[in-house]
PDB file of all heavy atoms in Angstrom:
ATOM      1  N   ASP A1394     -82.817 173.938  19.703  1.00 94.00           N
ATOM      2  CA  ASP A1394     -82.446 175.155  19.655  1.00 94.00           C
ATOM      3  C   ASP A1394     -83.117 175.935  18.539  1.00 94.00           C
ATOM      4  O   ASP A1394     -83.534 175.319  17.499  1.00 94.00           O
ATOM      5  CB  ASP A1394     -80.858 175.241  19.359  1.00 94.00           C
ATOM      6  CG  ASP A1394     -79.932 174.838  20.527  1.00 94.00           C
ATOM      7  OD1 ASP A1394     -80.453 174.865  21.648  1.00 94.00           O
ATOM      8  OD2 ASP A1394     -78.820 174.391  20.242  1.00 94.00           O
ATOM      9  N   LEU A1395     -83.282 177.206  18.641  1.00 92.00           N
ATOM     10  CA  LEU A1395     -83.937 177.953  17.651  1.00 92.00           C
ATOM     11  C   LEU A1395     -83.157 177.989  16.214  1.00 92.00           C
ATOM     12  O   LEU A1395     -83.833 177.950  15.230  1.00 92.00           O
ATOM     13  CB  LEU A1395     -84.092 179.453  18.052  1.00 92.00           C
ATOM     14  CG  LEU A1395     -85.078 179.692  19.169  1.00 92.00           C
ATOM     15  CD1 LEU A1395     -85.087 181.220  19.468  1.00 92.00           C
ATOM     16  CD2 LEU A1395     -86.557 179.295  18.658  1.00 92.00           C
ATOM     17  N   SER A1396     -81.916 177.865  16.391  1.00 94.00           N
ATOM     18  CA  SER A1396     -81.157 177.661  15.104  1.00 94.00           C
ATOM     19  C   SER A1396     -81.536 176.377  14.295  1.00 94.00           C
ATOM     20  O   SER A1396     -81.598 176.371  13.121  1.00 94.00           O
ATOM     21  CB  SER A1396     -79.588 177.662  15.331  1.00 94.00           C
ATOM     22  OG  SER A1396     -79.236 176.644  16.187  1.00 94.00           O
ATOM     23  N   PHE A1397     -81.864 175.329  15.009  1.00 95.00           N
ATOM     24  CA  PHE A1397     -82.322 174.056  14.441  1.00 95.00           C
ATOM     25  C   PHE A1397     -83.696 174.329  13.655  1.00 95.00           C
ATOM     26  O   PHE A1397     -83.880 173.936  12.595  1.00 95.00           O
ATOM     27  CB  PHE A1397     -82.303 172.936  15.404  1.00 95.00           C
ATOM     28  CG  PHE A1397     -83.042 171.705  14.868  1.00 95.00           C
ATOM     29  CD1 PHE A1397     -82.220 170.848  14.253  1.00 95.00           C
ATOM     30  CD2 PHE A1397     -84.413 171.442  14.856  1.00 95.00           C
ATOM     31  CE1 PHE A1397     -82.731 169.677  13.617  1.00 95.00           C
ATOM     32  CE2 PHE A1397     -84.953 170.257  14.400  1.00 95.00           C
ATOM     33  CZ  PHE A1397     -84.090 169.406  13.783  1.00 95.00           C
ATOM     34  N   ILE A1398     -84.635 174.935  14.506  1.00 94.00           N
ATOM     35  CA  ILE A1398     -85.980 175.134  14.047  1.00 94.00           C
ATOM     36  C   ILE A1398     -85.871 176.130  12.742  1.00 94.00           C
ATOM     37  O   ILE A1398     -86.498 175.884  11.792  1.00 94.00           O
ATOM     38  CB  ILE A1398     -86.849 175.793  15.061  1.00 94.00           C
ATOM     39  CG1 ILE A1398     -86.911 174.892  16.307  1.00 94.00           C
ATOM     40  CG2 ILE A1398     -88.203 176.193  14.489  1.00 94.00           C
ATOM     41  CD1 ILE A1398     -87.769 173.552  15.975  1.00 94.00           C
ATOM     42  N   ALA A1399     -85.070 177.134  12.878  1.00 93.00           N
ATOM     43  CA  ALA A1399     -84.826 178.056  11.684  1.00 93.00           C
ATOM     44  C   ALA A1399     -84.288 177.290  10.449  1.00 93.00           C
ATOM     45  O   ALA A1399     -84.711 177.680   9.345  1.00 93.00           O
ATOM     46  CB  ALA A1399     -83.927 179.228  12.084  1.00 93.00           C
ATOM     47  N   GLY A1400     -83.462 176.387  10.662  1.00 94.00           N
ATOM     48  CA  GLY A1400     -82.865 175.610   9.587  1.00 94.00           C
ATOM     49  C   GLY A1400     -83.905 174.660   9.021  1.00 94.00           C
ATOM     50  O   GLY A1400     -83.950 174.449   7.713  1.00 94.00           O
ATOM     51  N   GLU A1401     -84.745 174.092   9.773  1.00 93.00           N
ATOM     52  CA  GLU A1401     -85.821 173.257   9.258  1.00 93.00           C
ATOM     53  C   GLU A1401     -87.102 174.000   8.528  1.00 93.00           C
ATOM     54  O   GLU A1401     -87.705 173.465   7.828  1.00 93.00           O
ATOM     55  CB  GLU A1401     -86.422 172.392  10.496  1.00 93.00           C
ATOM     56  CG  GLU A1401     -85.417 171.333  10.970  1.00 93.00           C
ATOM     57  CD  GLU A1401     -85.288 170.280   9.991  1.00 93.00           C
ATOM     58  OE1 GLU A1401     -86.203 169.634   9.548  1.00 93.00           O
ATOM     59  OE2 GLU A1401     -83.990 169.999   9.724  1.00 93.00           O
ATOM     60  N   TYR A1402     -87.216 175.302   9.112  1.00 91.00           N
ATOM     61  CA  TYR A1402     -88.275 175.969   8.608  1.00 91.00           C
ATOM     62  C   TYR A1402     -87.799 177.382   8.233  1.00 91.00           C
ATOM     63  O   TYR A1402     -88.143 178.398   8.893  1.00 91.00           O
ATOM     64  CB  TYR A1402     -89.345 176.196   9.714  1.00 91.00           C
ATOM     65  CG  TYR A1402     -89.989 174.815  10.104  1.00 91.00           C
ATOM     66  CD1 TYR A1402     -89.491 174.056  11.016  1.00 91.00           C
ATOM     67  CD2 TYR A1402     -91.095 174.313   9.309  1.00 91.00           C
ATOM     68  CE1 TYR A1402     -89.992 172.917  11.367  1.00 91.00           C
ATOM     69  CE2 TYR A1402     -91.625 173.089   9.677  1.00 91.00           C
ATOM     70  CZ  TYR A1402     -91.154 172.382  10.621  1.00 91.00           C
ATOM     71  OH  TYR A1402     -91.668 171.165  11.050  1.00 91.00           O
ATOM     72  N   PRO A1403     -87.086 177.529   7.131  1.00 89.00           N
ATOM     73  CA  PRO A1403     -86.570 178.925   6.793  1.00 89.00           C
ATOM     74  C   PRO A1403     -87.684 179.957   6.404  1.00 89.00           C
ATOM     75  O   PRO A1403     -88.767 179.450   5.949  1.00 89.00           O
ATOM     76  CB  PRO A1403     -85.667 178.535   5.531  1.00 89.00           C
ATOM     77  CG  PRO A1403     -86.075 177.301   5.102  1.00 89.00           C
ATOM     78  CD  PRO A1403     -86.656 176.605   6.181  1.00 89.00           C
ATOM     79  N   ARG A1404     -87.453 181.147   6.698  1.00 82.00           N
ATOM     80  CA  ARG A1404     -88.476 182.130   6.304  1.00 82.00           C
ATOM     81  C   ARG A1404     -88.875 182.017   4.883  1.00 82.00           C
ATOM     82  O   ARG A1404     -87.980 181.914   4.017  1.00 82.00           O
ATOM     83  CB  ARG A1404     -87.818 183.545   6.613  1.00 82.00           C
ATOM     84  CG  ARG A1404     -87.911 183.852   8.077  1.00 82.00           C
ATOM     85  CD  ARG A1404     -87.364 185.247   8.261  1.00 82.00           C
ATOM     86  NE  ARG A1404     -87.544 185.591   9.665  1.00 82.00           N
ATOM     87  CZ  ARG A1404     -87.901 186.721  10.262  1.00 82.00           C
ATOM     88  NH1 ARG A1404     -88.217 187.714   9.379  1.00 82.00           N
ATOM     89  NH2 ARG A1404     -87.926 186.928  11.469  1.00 82.00           N
TER      90      ARG A1404
END
Side-chain angles (χ1 to χ4, degrees):
D1394 289 340
L1395 287 176
S1396 60
F1397 175 87
I1398 299 296
E1401 291 289 307
Y1402 299 91
R1404 285 184 176 219

